[in-house]
Amino acid sequence: MIGVVYLGNNPKTQERLKYIPGQMVRMTNAYKDAASICVPHVPNEHFIVFIERNVRNEDITAITYLRKKCHNVYIILITDNMSTEERNIYMKCGINDTIANTASVTELNKKIQFISDRENILFDNEAFKHKILKFKIPLWKRLFDIIFSGLAIIILSPIFIITAIAIKVESKGPVLFKSKRVGTNYTIFDFLKFRSMYTDAEDRLKELSKEHNQYADNHEEEEHKTVTAPLGAEAEQDMLDTGMESMMMIGDEEIMLVGDDFVMAESDFSKKKEEDINNAFVKIENDPRITKVGRFIRKYSIDELPQLINILRGDMSIVGNRPLPLYEAEKLTVDSSIDRFMAPAGLTGLWQVEERGKGGNMSAEERKQLDITYGQTYNFMLDMKIILRTLTAFVQKENV
């Protein structure tokens, strides 16, 4: 349930807010009165407060007071253009959003509806927070991770030392490579590996041709050309005047999406988006960025050993779904894939022993499904089976 309050004395804004359909906007020009209006009378009652920008110091006092007294408000500043410095100042004191002081009744109503539709997400609702589904690692699994990783680090310490020396001798740069990875509950952490590539490897990734990506579609993709005929000035103005800058109809069947510098059929856009999701994983065959030491430690999975430190400090588990780089993880937030993050992140997992140990390639969709399956079915016995199978599959047969 959302109420709307206006704090200010601009007659034009007041007049427009009076015509918001289905909404009675309560108005005041005193911030203490606005705070008293925003006292909830029923559970989970929230308020949108429109504040007309005035003198900065007075605005900051009003916004700060509202934030202190009311924890159930979403503050929108009604303003004209602001400098970056001014915007930062207002954001720090507590505004959530801005809207132009020339906004129409329709624009104001859309803003209210947008916030209302996302009420449980945008407001500080403790009852809702407790309903958010989060994965919590079982105690047996965490204890096993601590004991296993601690002993492994001690036993394998000579390999750690020899590998570090070899990496340092062959090429300049740090021994360990840190990258941001996404693990359980979409938590981002520093993922550790022995450096197996040259130091400029990340910059060179974009230069590699798409056919080197093991997970990319094998068929040749047809490039979708944008409409080359430019829109005339009058046509562009007509589209803007009718509020159709984001889409237009061509014929009776095809919807065209119009951007700043392209016109694309909606069907083509949807197809391209689906292909991007299906090819989210990136794995390069015969990667030229790898050093000689890197090829050896990758072949025997020695480069993965520093992840025992990640496991010891709780970033991930011995067995789970592989933590993903940010550019891969962001493509797996659709409903069909997000369940892979509701499971432990792991050093080894179901997909490694099911496909990698057999030396076969695997599609991105197959890998996602195995990750989801593990998250839904994992238990102690399954983890032990995966660990045992990993010991026989750690020598990779493909050069990736």
Side-chain angles (χ1 to χ4, degrees):
M1 182 178 180
I2 289 186
V4 181
V5 179
Y6 170 73
L7 174 57
N9 53 13
N10 186 334
K12 292 182 178 179
T13 304
Q14 291 175 341
E15 186 67 20
R16 288 194 294 268
L17 287 170
K18 286 179 182 178
Y19 290 98
I20 299 295
Q23 188 70 248
M24 186 185 76
V25 181
R26 285 172 278 189
M27 302 186 185
T28 179
N29 58 6
Y31 63 85
K32 290 186 178 180
D33 290 342
S36 63
I37 293 173
C38 293
V39 175
H41 300 287
V42 295
N44 297 327
E45 183 179 16
H46 305 120
F47 293 88
I48 299 171
V49 180
F50 288 99
I51 296 181
E52 190 88 37
R53 185 182 172 198
N54 193 12
V55 180
R56 184 198 295 176
N57 290 339
E58 294 178 3
D59 291 344
I60 291 174
T61 300
I63 295 167
T64 304
Y65 184 86
L66 278 168
R67 278 280 165 231
K68 183 178 179 181
K69 295 294 184 180
C70 308
H71 301 288
N72 59 334
V73 295
Y74 189 94
I75 300 176
I76 301 174
L77 184 69
I78 301 176
T79 179
D80 53 7
N81 293 332
M82 290 193 296
S83 67
T84 302
E85 179 185 0
E86 289 174 323
R87 188 176 297 276
N88 289 336
I89 290 172
Y90 276 97
M91 287 179 64
K92 286 180 180 178
C93 72
I95 67 165
N96 298 103
D97 201 352
T98 61
I99 193 168
N101 53 12
T102 58
S104 65
V105 173
T106 300
E107 290 171 323
L108 289 166
N109 185 49
K110 283 183 177 179
K111 180 71 73 173
I112 293 171
Q113 289 301 316
F114 179 87
I115 296 167
S116 298
D117 292 342
R118 293 156 180 80
E119 182 176 0
N120 285 335
I121 299 174
L122 296 175
F123 289 89
D124 185 15
N125 189 337
E126 291 298 327
F128 175 75
K129 286 181 179 179
H130 291 301
K131 295 179 182 178
I132 296 177
L133 183 62
K134 293 187 68 175
F135 173 80
K136 185 176 181 180
I137 191 167
L139 180 60
W140 65 264
K141 193 170 181 63
R142 182 62 189 140
L143 289 175
F144 178 80
D145 289 340
I146 293 172
I147 295 171
F148 189 101
S149 59
L151 290 175
I153 290 173
I154 295 172
I155 295 171
L156 299 174
S157 57
I159 298 178
F160 274 80
I161 295 171
I162 294 171
T163 304
I165 294 173
I167 292 171
K168 204 68 177 176
V169 168
E170 183 184 15
S171 61
K172 295 180 180 179
V175 170
L176 292 179
F177 173 74
K178 295 181 181 179
S179 66
K180 296 295 182 182
R181 293 291 180 100
V182 179
T184 305
N185 296 318
Y186 216 85
T187 302
I188 300 173
F189 65 94
D190 286 325
F191 183 81
L192 304 178
K193 296 182 76 170
F194 278 125
R195 181 172 60 83
S196 60
M197 292 185 175
Y198 295 101
T199 53
D200 62 347
E202 290 281 310
D203 296 332
R204 294 171 62 186
L205 177 60
K206 293 180 181 179
E207 300 173 7
L208 297 175
S209 57
K210 189 173 182 180
E211 59 265 22
H212 284 295
N213 184 0
Q214 163 179 320
Y215 291 129
D217 289 341
N218 292 325
H219 65 278
E220 182 178 355
E221 297 181 357
E222 179 182 354
E223 295 186 2
H224 304 296
K225 297 181 179 180
T226 60
V227 174
T228 56
L231 295 172
E234 294 183 1
E236 286 187 1
Q237 189 59 48
D238 288 342
M239 288 175 62
L240 292 174
D241 291 342
T242 56
M244 295 295 288
E245 60 266 48
S246 61
M247 72 172 69
M248 67 178 178
M249 294 295 296
I250 293 184
D252 295 328
E253 299 179 357
E254 186 66 283
I255 295 177
M256 303 300 290
L257 304 181
V258 182
D260 291 336
D261 55 0
F262 73 91
V263 180
M264 180 183 288
E266 185 180 39
S267 58
D268 290 345
F269 177 82
S270 299
K271 182 178 179 181
K272 186 176 184 301
K273 183 177 179 181
E274 183 178 355
E275 288 171 350
D276 287 342
I277 292 172
N278 289 337
N279 296 328
F281 298 107
V282 176
K283 198 167 187 179
I284 307 299
E285 295 186 68
N286 301 313
D287 197 333
R289 303 171 297 163
I290 303 174
T291 64
K292 292 179 181 179
V293 172
R295 292 191 187 281
F296 179 84
I297 63 177
R298 281 190 168 203
K299 181 178 180 181
Y300 295 99
S301 298
I302 297 172
D303 62 320
E304 311 283 357
L305 292 182
Q307 288 153 48
L308 292 168
I309 299 172
N310 286 120
I311 294 168
L312 194 60
R313 65 189 188 190
D315 296 328
M316 48 194 286
S317 185
I318 296 293
V319 182
N321 294 334
R322 196 68 173 151
L324 299 179
L326 301 184
Y327 61 83
E328 293 183 11
E330 69 179 355
K331 297 179 180 180
L332 297 177
T333 55
V334 294
D335 291 344
S336 60
S337 304
I338 195 64
D339 281 353
R340 80 168 307 281
F341 298 107
M342 299 303 296
L347 176 64
T348 186
L350 189 58
W351 76 266
Q352 285 97 329
V353 299
E354 288 292 333
E355 294 291 340
R356 179 177 166 189
K358 299 176 184 178
N361 289 344
M362 172 175 33
S363 70
E365 182 60 30
E366 288 173 326
R367 175 174 170 177
K368 284 184 289 188
Q369 291 306 317
L370 284 173
D371 287 344
I372 293 171
T373 298
Y374 175 78
Q376 295 172 343
T377 61
Y378 79 93
N379 54 61
F380 181 77
M381 291 305 300
L382 178 59
D383 279 11
M384 294 303 104
K385 290 178 181 178
I386 292 174
I387 291 173
L388 290 175
R389 292 179 65 181
T390 300
L391 295 176
T392 63
F394 77 98
V395 178
Q396 300 182 31
K397 294 180 174 62
E398 71 269 34
N399 188 20
V400 294

